[in-house]
Amino acid sequence: MTTAKTINLTLKVWRQKGPKDKGKFETYQAKAIPTDMSFLEMLDVVNEQLTLEGKEPIAFDHDCREGICGMCGTVVNGRAHGPEKGTTLCQLHMRRFSDGDTIAIEPWRAMAFKVVKDLVVDRSAFDKLIQAGGYVSVNAGGAQDANSLPISQEFAEKSMDAAACIGCGACVASCPNASAMLFVGAKVSQLALLPQGRPEAAQRALSMVRKMDELGFGNCTNERECEAECPKEISISNIARLNREFLKAGLFSSVK
Amino acid sequence: MNWFVNTLGTSIGKKLMMAFTGLCFCGFLVVHLAGNLTLYGGKDFFNGYVAHLHSYGPLINVAELILLTLAIIHVLTGTFLFFGNLSARPKRYAVNKSAGGRTIGSATMPYTGFLMLIFIIFHLFNFHFADHATQTVFDIVSNAFAAGGYVTIYIISMVIVAIHVSHGFWSAFQTLGANHPKYMPLIQGLGTAFSLIVGIGFGFIPIYVFTA
Ligand code: HEM
Ligand code: SF4
Ligand code: FES
């Protein structure tokens, strides 16, 4: 086995003791970081060093570390989940950086996502959005006979593409307006495209959009930064579908 | 009618109003540009067009009232959205970097919009509220564009309009839900073409009058 290439980095990390603390950037040196490491492993190394020095380690969210759970995520040099396209922060490798780089690490910033500690933000606003309508009420029961409910390949694919959303919040974080339209668009689309989701489609669109406004998310101005940053590359055509579903529900359905 | 107000009062509802009024303005720009191009036909041709337009009488007043209403909706809603978006991110990032989504047009909508508002007021005082009793509209236009300062202001303003519609046009379709894999590239192309036509079409008129 060949020894991996290593790099030295300067980190400027947002440190904030709690939701009420003002918070500030602290500078740390990350020395001899193997380029094969993931970004989170690099933070682990820094945290071990901080612990040995008797300092408080940097708090950051993570769970699966393979890009499927949606827990990780910080803004790295101004980019949500870092500079790599279509990946979560846990999938970002240190080979993406060069020796001597300075890396600024900030939490997701949005009115609706309050900082809990350091890089950890409270994303329960997303849970509230799902509770507002991101479900199908009727118990689907056991598996149906194949072909008893014909669904075209095209619709199934589009629905699956929307369902790839892992609820990480990068869309909100990268949106210049801190809008949650890509997330809500993905959730509404995923259900609106399948027959099981249709009966409640109007109510869902109205409730989720009203909840989104109430939670303090911004207004979409079609900047497309969300689509460019989303680790699952969810398309803004889902936002257009949300707009359609909302328009239909608000003006042409009997649901109030 | 509560349901109507409730629908338009949401973030998407406000966006729908922006899209609808914005597209109406795009329509207005087409008609306005077509009319203004008669300037290239010379003094009599242009004054003839103006006389023809004014012969519609009350219809013109109705059109003006509709435009004014649309403008008030567009500007007020845009202002609400702008301040709403500022408060949606109370703490800004220390480092900002685009992932490649935004364009000059999309990133500057509220600012180009505000500059256009100032320009529109200036423009109305220049031409609309000018003395129409002792001079023809052609005289008003050629007197105004005899001054280099006016020519410069108008050219800069037309560049600003072009930047605003370069994003506004396709964005309005997306807001109305008209994002279709077959038609979206066409709509985006049309938006770019439209902003160029508007910018160049209007922008060359002051230069033409100045040099004529
Ligand atoms: C001839 C005049 C104008 C035209 C043709 C026009 C056109 C448009 C269009 C098509 C949109 C896109 C709507 C959407 O994204 O759904 C838009 C958005 C916008 N306009 Fe205008 N506009 C004009 C004047 C103004 C003025 C005078 C202001 C402001 C004071 C303004 C402020 C805005 C803002 C802030 C937006 C962004 C709203 C958003 O994307 O959410 N516009 N405009
Ligand atoms: S739409 Fe993309 S960026 Fe937004 S929460 Fe889902 S996976 Fe994350
Ligand atoms: S830790 Fe699960 S997606 Fe990154």
Side-chain angles (χ1 to χ4, degrees):
Chain A
M1 208 177 102
T2 52
T3 28
K5 190 186 157 206
T6 64
I7 52 176
N8 297 317
L9 302 159
T10 304
L11 308 184
K12 294 200 184 302
V13 186
W14 184 259
R15 302 302 307 263
Q16 183 172 336
K17 291 195 179 72
K20 297 242 157 57
D21 183 28
K22 264 190 67 189
K24 60 175 188 305
F25 282 98
E26 293 275 1
T27 307
Y28 304 104
Q29 301 302 326
K31 295 220 175 69
I33 301 294
T35 50
D36 289 346
M37 264 187 183
S38 77
F39 198 86
L40 297 190
E41 285 168 331
M42 182 276 293
L43 286 180
D44 291 337
V45 169
V46 174
N47 272 346
E48 261 175 53
Q49 179 194 320
L50 286 176
T51 310
L52 286 176
E53 290 168 11
K55 291 179 186 153
E56 184 77 9
I58 303 159
F60 62 91
D61 258 330
H62 60 103
D63 191 8
C64 70
R65 297 205 175 201
E66 55 179 2
I68 55 170
C69 75
M71 276 307 280
C72 66
T74 66
V75 170
V76 177
N77 284 341
R79 298 280 309 272
H81 290 299
E84 197 87 62
K85 211 178 148 37
T87 55
T88 54
L89 191 64
C90 58
Q91 294 171 302
L92 177 67
H93 283 91
M94 295 314 292
R95 65 182 75 99
R96 205 60 177 73
F97 299 91
S98 311
D99 192 39
D101 276 1
T102 297
I103 307 177
I105 310 173
E106 303 175 72
W108 288 169
R109 297 259 184 230
M111 175 73 184
F113 290 167
K114 297 268 184 327
V115 172
V116 177
K117 188 179 181 183
D118 299 339
L119 305 171
V120 177
V121 297
D122 177 1
R123 281 168 291 186
S124 58
F126 271 8
D127 300 332
K128 296 195 181 102
L129 278 169
I130 296 295
Q131 284 158 12
Y135 52 80
V136 170
S137 301
V138 180
N139 196 334
Q144 297 204 27
D145 236 13
N147 300 330
S148 68
L149 197 60
I151 298 168
S152 75
Q153 173 74 7
E154 186 200 347
F155 279 62
E157 284 291 344
K158 282 185 178 159
S159 176
M160 282 303 281
D161 285 349
C165 167
I166 53 175
C168 64
C171 43
V172 174
S174 61
C175 173
N177 311 312
S179 161
M181 286 285 277
L182 194 64
F183 174 75
V184 176
K187 299 301 168 191
V188 161
S189 291
Q190 168 197 337
L191 299 172
L193 284 161
L194 297 180
Q196 294 89 339
R198 282 318 309 174
E200 290 166 294
Q203 186 62 60
R204 177 180 308 115
L206 291 180
S207 304
M208 289 185 82
V209 169
R210 284 178 192 148
K211 185 53 99 183
M212 178 178 83
D213 292 350
E214 181 194 316
L215 289 165
F217 289 106
N219 313 289
C220 174
T221 57
N222 302 324
E223 297 260 22
R224 313 188 74 153
E225 287 290 321
C226 56
E227 177 184 62
E229 287 292 36
C230 172
K232 300 299 155 190
E233 305 186 292
I234 306 273
S235 156
I236 60 160
S237 59
N238 291 294
I239 295 182
R241 187 174 296 102
L242 168 61
N243 290 336
R244 283 201 297 278
E245 290 290 330
F246 179 79
L247 189 65
K248 263 195 291 185
L251 302 185
F252 308 113
S253 81
S254 54
V255 181
K256 289 199 177 164
Chain B
M1 284 307 274
N2 205 12
W3 57 268
F4 188 69
V5 177
N6 277 347
T7 302
L8 289 189
T10 58
S11 57
I12 297 186
K14 293 196 194 95
K15 283 285 304 173
L16 287 169
M17 289 196 283
M18 288 311 277
F20 175 74
T21 52
L23 280 182
C24 288
F25 288 142
C26 289
F28 163 74
L29 286 182
V30 172
V31 177
H32 193 22
L33 180 61
N36 285 2
L37 290 180
T38 58
L39 258 168
Y40 291 109
K43 181 176 176 143
D44 293 339
F45 193 60
F46 181 66
N47 280 335
Y49 155 70
V50 173
H52 177 72
L53 192 64
H54 286 190
S55 70
Y56 286 106
L59 273 184
I60 290 294
N61 296 333
V62 172
E64 282 173 354
L65 267 181
I66 293 174
L67 276 177
L68 181 66
T69 313
L70 294 176
I72 292 171
I73 295 173
H74 195 82
V75 172
L76 281 186
T77 313
T79 310
F80 264 107
L81 290 170
F82 175 68
F83 286 107
N85 289 342
L86 278 187
S87 55
R89 177 163 293 131
K91 176 111 185 94
R92 318 300 287 182
Y93 291 108
V95 183
N96 286 288
K97 199 158 192 291
S98 167
R102 46 194 340 202
T103 59
I104 303 169
S106 77
T108 56
M109 286 308 266
Y111 315 112
T112 49
F114 180 69
L115 290 174
M116 278 158 77
L117 179 64
I118 296 174
F119 166 75
I120 292 166
I121 295 170
F122 171 78
H123 177 56
L124 289 178
F125 274 99
N126 260 193
F127 294 142
H128 189 80
F129 298 119
D131 171 20
H132 284 74
T134 59
Q135 48 186 351
T136 66
V137 176
F138 186 85
D139 297 331
I140 301 175
V141 174
S142 47
N143 287 341
F145 292 146
Y150 273 71
V151 176
T152 315
I153 290 175
Y154 271 79
I155 292 172
I156 293 173
S157 300
M158 288 315 109
V159 172
I160 291 169
V161 173
I163 293 173
H164 194 79
V165 280
S166 73
H167 176 68
F169 190 83
W170 88 265
S171 172
F173 283 87
Q174 163 79 5
T175 301
L176 292 168
N179 184 332
H180 188 281
K182 280 187 184 153
Y183 300 110
M184 208 47 180
L186 185 73
I187 292 170
Q188 285 169 330
L190 262 178
T192 308
F194 183 64
S195 66
L196 284 175
I197 290 170
V198 164
I200 296 170
F202 279 111
F204 262 96
I205 291 173
I207 301 177
Y208 172 74
V209 177
F210 183 72
T211 54

